[in-house]
C-alpha cells in the first residue's frame, strides 16, 4: 500500500496534529505524516512533531508584510519540496486566499470546532453557549474558497451541559476532534471519501457511525 505523504499545518499547541501522528504510526494507516509546517516559529506543536521524529518547517507570515499570496507561495513551495500529496490544517490560524485553496483543491482538509454550518469563525464554544444549543461538536471538511465551508467528511457531536463554561465545552469537543480527524484523513488518503457536489459519500458503513460520532 502506498501511503499518501501528508503535511499538517499548525499555528499552536498541535493536539490534533498529535492525534494524526499517533494514528499514522500504525503501518496500515493510509497516510504518512511527512511534514509539520507552522506559520509561527514559536508554535508548541513544532517541538512535539520533532520529538516524534517528523520533519518540521516554518514559514513566518510576518516576513510577508500582509502579502497573503506571497506567504502562500512560500508555503506551497515547501509542500512541493517535500513531495506532499495531502494537507491537513490543524489549528492553522491564517485565512487562505484562492491561491492556496485552488492549488490544493480536493487535497486539503480542515478541522473546525463546531457542527458546521453552525458557528463558523472564532469563539465557537462561547457562541454555542450563548445560543443555548444542546448539541455541539466538531467537523472535518474539505477546504473551499469560503472560510469554514466545503464538503463535510466527518462530524463528531457532544452534549452541551447546563454547567458548561467555554473551557469545559472546548475540552469535550477537543476529545471528539481527536477521534474524527484521524478517521477523516484515513478516508481521504485511502480514497474512500468521494466528493459529489457539496456532499462527501463513501462511508463504508450504512448506519453512518463511521462519519458521525455522537453522544
Ligand atoms: C482546534 O480546536 C481546532 O478545531 C481548531 O483549532 C484548535 C487547534 O487545537 N481549528 P490544536 O492546536 O490541534 O490543539
Amino acid at each position: 500500500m502506498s501511503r499518501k505523504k501528508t503535511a499538517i499545518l499548525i499555528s499552536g499547541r498541535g493536539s490534533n496534529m498529535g492525534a494524526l501522528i499517533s494514528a499514522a504510526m500504525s503501518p496500515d494507516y493510509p497516510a504518512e505524516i511527512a511534514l509539520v509546517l507552522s506559520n509561527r516559529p514559536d508554535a508548541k506543536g513544532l517541538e512535539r512533531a520533532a520529538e516524534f521524529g517528523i520533519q518540521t518547517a516554518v514559514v513566518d507570515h510576518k516576513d510577508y508584510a500582509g502579502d497573503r499570496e506571497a506567504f502562500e507561495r512560500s508555503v506551497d513551495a515547501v509542500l512541493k519540496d517535500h513531495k506532499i500529496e495531502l494537507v491537513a490544517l490543524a489549528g492553522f490560524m491564517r485565512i487562505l486566499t484562492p491561491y492556496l485553496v485552488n492549488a490544493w483543491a480536493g487535497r486539503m482538509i480542515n478541522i473546525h470546532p463546531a457542527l458546521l454550518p453552525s458557528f463558523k469563525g472564532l469563539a465557537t464554544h462561547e457562541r454555542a453557549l450563548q445560543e443555548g444549543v444542546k448539541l455541539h461538536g466538531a467537523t472535518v471538511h474539505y477546504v473551499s474558497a469560503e472560510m469554514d465551508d466545503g464538503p463535510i467528511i466527518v462530524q463528531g457531536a457532544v452534549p452541551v451541559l447546563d454547567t458548561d463554561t467555554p473551557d469545559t465545552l472546548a475540552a469535550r469537543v477537543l476529545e471528539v476532534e481527536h477521534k474524527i480527524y484521524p478517521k477523516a484523513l484515513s478516508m481521504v488518503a485511502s480514497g474512500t471519501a468521494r466528493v459529489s457536489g457539496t456532499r462527501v459519500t463513501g462511508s463504508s458503513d450504512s448506519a453512518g457511525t463511521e462519519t458521525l460520532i455522537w453522544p
Side-chain angles (χ1 to χ4, degrees):
M1 177 190 65
S2 93
R3 309 172 81 208
K4 289 266 190 257
K5 282 173 84 86
T6 302
I8 306 175
L9 271 51
I10 63 167
S11 300
R13 67 188 163 182
S15 71
N16 279 290
M17 173 205 79
L20 294 178
I21 291 173
S22 298
M25 279 176 173
S26 159
D28 57 359
Y29 193 77
E32 168 207 344
I33 309 305
L35 177 72
V36 169
L37 182 150
S38 173
N39 65 306
R40 296 182 60 108
D42 58 351
K44 281 268 167 285
L46 286 173
E47 290 162 32
R48 243 179 123 186
E51 281 164 18
F52 280 109
I54 289 170
Q55 292 208 45
T56 61
V58 174
V59 180
D60 189 342
H61 65 277
K62 291 197 182 122
D63 294 340
Y64 295 84
D67 186 345
R68 286 183 189 273
E69 196 173 310
F71 163 73
E72 291 180 358
R73 283 187 193 282
S74 293
V75 170
D76 192 45
V78 175
L79 297 175
K80 289 203 173 104
D81 276 356
H82 286 79
K83 304 207 166 14
I84 295 302
E85 298 168 281
L86 290 176
V87 175
L89 307 179
F92 186 63
M93 302 302 284
R94 302 305 296 162
I95 291 173
L96 301 182
T97 78
Y99 175 78
L100 204 65
V101 172
N102 292 336
W104 289 89
R107 298 180 298 152
M108 182 185 274
I109 61 178
N110 179 49
I111 187 156
H112 180 72
L115 291 172
L116 290 173
S118 293
F119 307 120
K120 296 179 179 184
L122 298 173
T124 55
H125 310 305
E126 284 87 336
R127 288 189 285 138
L129 287 174
Q130 204 158 9
E131 294 293 342
V133 295
K134 301 298 182 197
L135 199 63
H136 187 42
T139 304
V140 182
H141 62 97
Y142 283 99
V143 174
S144 67
E146 212 180 303
M147 188 185 66
D148 299 329
D149 205 71
I152 290 170
I153 307 161
V154 183
Q155 291 190 304
V158 301
V160 179
L161 306 181
D162 289 351
T163 50
D164 268 329
T165 65
D167 285 348
T168 60
L169 186 53
R172 192 172 312 116
V173 171
L174 195 63
E175 269 182 48
V176 89
E177 290 185 40
H178 296 164
K179 291 183 188 149
I180 64 172
Y181 215 172
K183 177 79 236 165
L185 177 59
S186 165
M187 287 177 66
V188 171
S190 65
T192 318
R194 282 187 300 278
V195 182
S196 143
T198 54
R199 299 183 69 188
V200 177
T201 58
S203 167
S204 60
D205 147 25
S206 58
T209 51
E210 191 180 36
T211 49
L212 170 63
I213 293 178
W214 51 355

